[in-house]
Amino acid sequence: MIDGRATWAELAAELGLSAPAAAERVRKLEERKIIRGYAAIVDPAQTGYELTAFVSVTLDRPQHRSKFTRALEKMPEVVECHHVAGDFDYLLKVRCRGTADLDGLLSNRIKELPGIARTRTTIVLGTLKESIVAPLASATED
């Protein structure tokens, strides 16, 4: 079930449980931090943030990581930040109103941070699949 607003009765019917049993199962998943929270999924284009880009960031020294990550937390345009293995250190997913905003974010905020050795930006032309739903073992096993 993908509907986060489903009633306990609807969830129970999907799981083959009673509504109180479904509610208890969800409560336990929340306690174990398997369910981390609930959110509305907003269409970024409808709010004016039509441009999506991925920014690869390389830091010149590991000492700059904590300042870098703290600074990113204050940038709402950075919607994801992943510490990665490979040719760069971090992969950022950013949403901007357009190329001018992206340029400002990169030139005046990200590249100005201490320790940035280089960045590489890829602008998204179209998105075929995007999901916040985590795969579950039962959903992938056939």
Side-chain angles (χ1 to χ4, degrees), residues 35-87:
I35 295 176
R36 298 187 308 192
Y38 302 89
I41 302 169
V42 176
D43 181 351
Q46 295 293 324
T47 61
Y49 287 83
E50 297 182 20
L51 183 96
T52 302
F54 290 93
V55 181
S56 307
V57 178
T58 302
L59 301 178
D60 62 2
R61 292 192 185 99
Q63 300 92 297
H64 296 293
R65 284 185 181 166
S66 62
K67 283 185 182 180
F68 172 74
T69 57
R70 280 196 309 272
L72 290 184
E73 290 172 2
K74 297 174 185 168
M75 297 180 193
E77 302 91 344
V78 178
V79 296
E80 294 180 19
C81 173
H82 305 275
H83 186 215
V84 297
D87 294 337

Side-chain angles (χ1 to χ4, degrees), residues 3-132:
D3 185 0
R5 294 177 53 171
T7 66
W8 292 125
E10 291 168 333
L11 181 60
E14 181 83 18
L15 297 173
L17 301 171
S18 69
E24 179 63 16
R25 182 173 286 184
V26 169
R27 185 189 63 75
K28 287 180 181 178
L29 292 171
E30 291 169 338
E31 282 178 359
R32 293 173 46 204
K33 305 289 188 222
I34 293 170
I35 295 176
R36 298 187 308 192
Y38 302 89
I41 302 169
V42 176
D43 181 351
Q46 295 293 324
T47 61
Y49 287 83
E50 297 182 20
L51 183 96
T52 302
F54 290 93
V55 181
S56 307
V57 178
T58 302
L59 301 178
D60 62 2
R61 292 192 185 99
Q63 300 92 297
H64 296 293
R65 284 185 181 166
S66 62
K67 283 185 182 180
F68 172 74
T69 57
R70 280 196 309 272
L72 290 184
E73 290 172 2
K74 297 174 185 168
M75 297 180 193
E77 302 91 344
V78 178
V79 296
E80 294 180 19
C81 173
H82 305 275
H83 186 215
V84 297
D87 294 337
F88 45 90
D89 299 312
Y90 290 91
L91 179 63
L92 312 179
K93 180 178 181 180
V94 301
R95 300 232 191 237
C96 297
R97 294 184 184 273
T99 56
D101 283 350
L102 177 61
D103 182 40
L105 176 66
L106 294 170
S107 299
N108 303 325
R109 294 167 64 204
I110 293 176
K111 290 181 181 180
E112 293 293 318
L113 294 172
I116 301 294
R118 70 179 178 276
T119 65
R120 187 165 95 201
T121 302
T122 303
I123 293 177
V124 174
L125 299 176
T127 300
L128 303 175
K129 180 179 179 181
E130 184 175 50
S131 177
I132 62 165

